[in-house]
């Protein structure tokens, strides 16, 4: 699951200090900071959308429709999904259907800015083993036995999807171990597999899913299961802060090369990101990994989004460029989320499995625009307010 370097691509998780916020204060009146909507939706015409090829239109629509099994009971997308079931795989028929059933809204950031950051992610394949060996000795942990998860929305509905992760010490719930502690001391958790390189584990956690290639030629598919509750901090940002890389040079390849040249500093690098992802085994399949919507992702046509701005299941019109500067304009399906995928105009495009997809995803850090195609007559999403910048 880069900014790019992007994060693991699963729902944003609240951390334990949130409890202090929930408790509130009852002191004197204080001036409330000025706020603005995290994003705005600007109504647009179909003619305002940049043109897409017939093949991209058919593929993007197919990717979106593949999630309709999960959306049939959704109050917003259910009726549109039902109507889409009989649409032929024809660009002409798809265009007619979209124009008849959906309205167009351009996403806007603060100051009505239509531009945002478009990155990429992929499903890596790393060498490893089901048992520890001399070369494969980096454990990939499952969910810890002693980690407690507290859902907050039963008491605070506005915190839907937010959870606390911690460990009981006596009667006190304390934050769960950060990544540096887990790396140095281990954790009470099953081991899903073993990798040969600690950097591969970090990249696996960032992508959120992957495959482990064993010596007998088999591939083990693993996927995100949970997270330790600590915030994600990009390791690329740490390298910039240390003066090791320039911001514009941060890519997966650049980080890998730095780690190879500085093996003694890898623990320091990895410890700069307190977030730690736990995994589970998935059945072998030729399908793409499953995103937050629990449907297989489609290479090039599924995207991770900030669900505070773009509801999962939405159909988007994306206009950006590839890392080589060539245009990339197509409809994509919002089927995943990620810890670093946050902001007004923000998307993380899934590129597929293996090294070629990884190269493309790791280098992608492009400017782009996003339009949201929204069912006619449906109320637009309620976007949260955020504080103005000082």
């Amino acid at each position: 699951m880069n900014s790019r370097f992007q994060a693991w691509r699963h729902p944003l998780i609240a951390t334990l200090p949130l409890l202090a916020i929930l408790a509130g204060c009852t002191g004197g009146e204080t001036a409330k900071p000025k706020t603005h909507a995290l994003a705005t939706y600007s109504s647009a015409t179909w003619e305002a959308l940049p043109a897409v090829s017939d093949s991209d239109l058919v593929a993007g629509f197919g990717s979106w429709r593949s999630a309709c099994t999960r959306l049939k009971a959704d109050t917003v997308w259910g009726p549109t999904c039902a109507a889409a079931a009989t649409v032929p795989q024809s660009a002409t028929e798809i265009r007619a259907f979209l124009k008849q059933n959906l309205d167009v809204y351009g996403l806007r950031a603060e100051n009505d800015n239509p531009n945002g950051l478009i990155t990429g992610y992929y499903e890596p394949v790393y060498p490893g083993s089901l048992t520890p060996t001399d070369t494969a000795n980096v454990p990939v942990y499952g969910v810890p036995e002693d980690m407690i998860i507290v859902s907050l929305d039963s008491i605070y509905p506005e915190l839907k999807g937010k959870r606390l992760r911690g460990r009981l010490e006596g009667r006190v719930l304390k934050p769960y171990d950060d990544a540096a502690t887990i790396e140095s001391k281990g954790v009470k958790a099953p081991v899903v597999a073993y990798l040969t390189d600690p950097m591969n584990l970090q990249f696996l956690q960032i992508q959120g899913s992957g495959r482990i290639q064993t010596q007998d030629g088999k591939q083990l598919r693993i996927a995100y299961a949970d997270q330790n509750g600590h915030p994600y901090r990009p390791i690329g940002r740490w390298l910039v802060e240390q003066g090791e890389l320039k911001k514009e040079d941060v890519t997966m390849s650049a980080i890998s090369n730095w780690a190879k040249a500085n093996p003694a500093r890898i623990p320091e690098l990895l410890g700069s990101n307190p977030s730690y992802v736990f995994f589970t085994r998935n059945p072998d399949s030729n399908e793409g990994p499953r995103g937050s919507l629990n449907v297989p992702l489609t290479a090039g046509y599924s995207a991770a989004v900030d669900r505070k701005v773009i509801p999962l299941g939405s159909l988007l019109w994306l206009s950006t460029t590839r890392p080589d500067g060539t245009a990339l304009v197509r409809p994509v399906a919002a089927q995943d989320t990620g810890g670093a995928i946050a902001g007004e105009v923000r998307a993380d495009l899934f590129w597929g499995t293996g090294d070629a997809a990884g190269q493309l995803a790791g280098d992608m850090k492009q400017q782009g625009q996003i339009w949201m195609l929204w069912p006619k007559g449906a109320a637009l999403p309620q976007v949260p307010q955020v504080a103005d910048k000082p």
Side-chain angles (χ1 to χ4, degrees), residues 21 28 40 71 82 129 181 184 195 250 255 263 271 285 296 318 339:
I21 300 174
T40 55
L71 299 171
S129 173
T181 303
S184 61
L195 296 176
V250 174
I255 294 173
S285 169
L318 176 66

Side-chain angles (χ1 to χ4, degrees), residues 47-314:
E47 290 70 28
L49 293 177
V52 301
S53 68
D54 287 353
S55 59
D56 280 330
L57 180 65
V58 172
F61 181 77
S63 175
W64 168 78
R65 189 163 59 176
S66 71
C68 278
T69 54
R70 305 287 301 177
L71 299 171
K72 58 185 178 181
D74 186 87
T75 55
V76 172
W77 284 106
T80 306
C81 273
T86 58
V87 176
Q89 288 288 86
S90 155
T92 300
E93 297 283 354
I94 290 171
R95 282 192 172 91
F97 171 82
L98 295 179
K99 290 181 179 181
Q100 181 180 351
N101 290 276
L102 303 174
D103 287 328
V104 180
Y105 295 92
L107 293 186
R108 294 291 187 270
E110 194 174 1
N111 299 322
D112 202 37
N113 185 357
N115 297 309
L117 177 64
I118 311 299
T119 53
Y121 69 110
Y122 78 115
E123 183 185 34
V125 181
Y126 293 129
S129 173
L130 293 177
T131 57
T133 68
D134 291 341
T135 55
N137 51 25
V138 179
V140 179
Y141 289 117
V143 178
E145 301 167 1
D146 58 349
M147 188 171 73
I148 293 176
I149 303 170
V150 181
S151 296
L152 299 174
D153 53 7
S154 60
I155 300 176
Y156 302 97
E158 67 275 17
L159 297 178
K160 182 179 180 180
K162 303 295 185 181
R163 298 177 181 179
L164 304 178
R165 265 73 171 169
R167 177 194 290 110
L168 275 179
E169 294 186 11
R171 298 180 62 187
V172 178
L173 181 65
K174 293 190 174 182
Y176 205 76
D177 293 339
D178 62 12
T181 303
I182 293 173
E183 292 283 1
S184 61
K185 297 183 178 180
V187 66
K188 294 180 180 179
V191 177
V192 176
Y194 294 86
L195 296 176
T196 61
D197 187 336
M199 291 303 298
N200 288 350
L201 177 60
Q202 179 70 188
F203 295 151
L204 184 65
Q205 293 188 49
I206 289 170
Q207 301 304 321
S209 64
R211 304 185 187 211
I212 298 176
Q213 181 87 39
T214 60
Q215 289 186 338
D216 60 5
K218 296 180 180 179
Q219 287 189 354
L220 171 71
R221 298 195 75 172
I222 61 175
Y224 172 98
D226 220 313
Q227 190 256 4
N228 66 341
H230 288 263
Y232 169 79
R233 295 196 179 101
I235 57 177
R237 183 185 301 167
W238 182 85
L239 289 171
V240 172
E241 293 169 349
Q242 297 295 310
E244 299 293 332
L245 291 177
K246 295 180 180 179
K247 182 178 179 180
E248 60 270 20
D249 295 335
V250 174
T251 64
M252 186 168 64
S253 296
I255 294 173
S256 295
N257 291 336
W258 183 92
K260 291 175 183 177
N262 299 271
R265 297 191 66 187
I266 289 178
E268 185 182 3
L269 170 68
L270 300 182
S272 69
N273 174 23
S275 172
Y276 197 94
V277 172
F278 306 108
F279 291 91
T280 185
R281 291 182 60 173
N282 273 355
D284 189 25
S285 169
N286 291 325
E287 295 178 331
R290 290 178 177 264
S292 302
L293 200 55
N294 197 27
V295 296
L297 303 177
T298 304
Y301 298 94
S302 292
V305 297
D306 185 345
R307 65 196 308 170
K308 298 190 300 296
V309 177
I310 302 171
L312 283 177
S314 297

